[in-house]
Amino acid sequence: MLPDVPPPAGAYSPGVRTANGTSLLFVSGQTPRDPATGQIVGTTFEEQTRLTLANLERVVRTGGATLADIVSVTVYLADENDWGTFDQIYRTVFSAPFPTRAVVGASLRGILVEISAIAVVR
């Protein structure tokens, strides 16, 4: 815990400091699109979240990093009431020390979740 910083309410770190001389990988918003067809997959929030996280991992891996190298995540939810479910699924993919994280409600044009991230490439 950091002094004078409120403890996080979910699976995220309040702040992450990176060393000088590192490269950052900025991952644009990933969605529940099938990598082969580009079509939206999954009718439930859980299905779409798991595929979106898998797509995030694919991009990070392709960029030379791993999920453990992610330092910041921004999550967009079509329904803010899905926050608790999202946090449970997120904890199956990320572990402490968690990346920083912001979760916001957004109009996502037919999808239920979108996730962007920043990773350190070592």
Side-chain angles (χ1 to χ4, degrees):
M1 284 297 157
L2 300 171
D4 302 322
V5 176
Y12 59 92
S13 295
V16 175
R17 181 176 59 192
T18 61
N20 290 334
T22 58
S23 295
L24 298 178
L25 171 65
F26 294 83
V27 180
S28 64
Q30 298 302 297
T31 60
R33 293 193 184 278
D34 180 289
T37 67
Q39 298 300 309
I40 297 296
V41 176
T43 57
T44 68
F45 178 77
E46 292 83 354
E47 291 171 320
Q48 288 196 8
T49 298
R50 290 183 197 287
L51 180 56
T52 300
L53 286 165
N55 287 341
L56 176 67
E57 183 175 17
R58 286 181 186 95
V59 174
V60 169
R61 210 174 333 118
T62 300
T66 69
L67 289 176
D69 296 316
I70 292 178
V71 295
S72 185
V73 174
T74 303
V75 181
Y76 305 92
L77 300 179
D79 183 349
E80 294 119 355
N81 293 314
D82 286 326
W83 187 94
T85 302
F86 176 81
D87 193 60
Q88 288 176 349
I89 296 168
Y90 183 87
R91 289 173 184 268
T92 68
V93 175
F94 291 96
S95 57
F98 296 104
T100 65
R101 187 176 83 186
V103 180
V104 296
S107 175
L108 297 175
R109 299 181 182 182
I111 61 172
L112 304 175
V113 62
E114 181 174 340
I115 304 170
S116 62
I118 301 170
V120 175
V121 181
R122 303 189 191 283

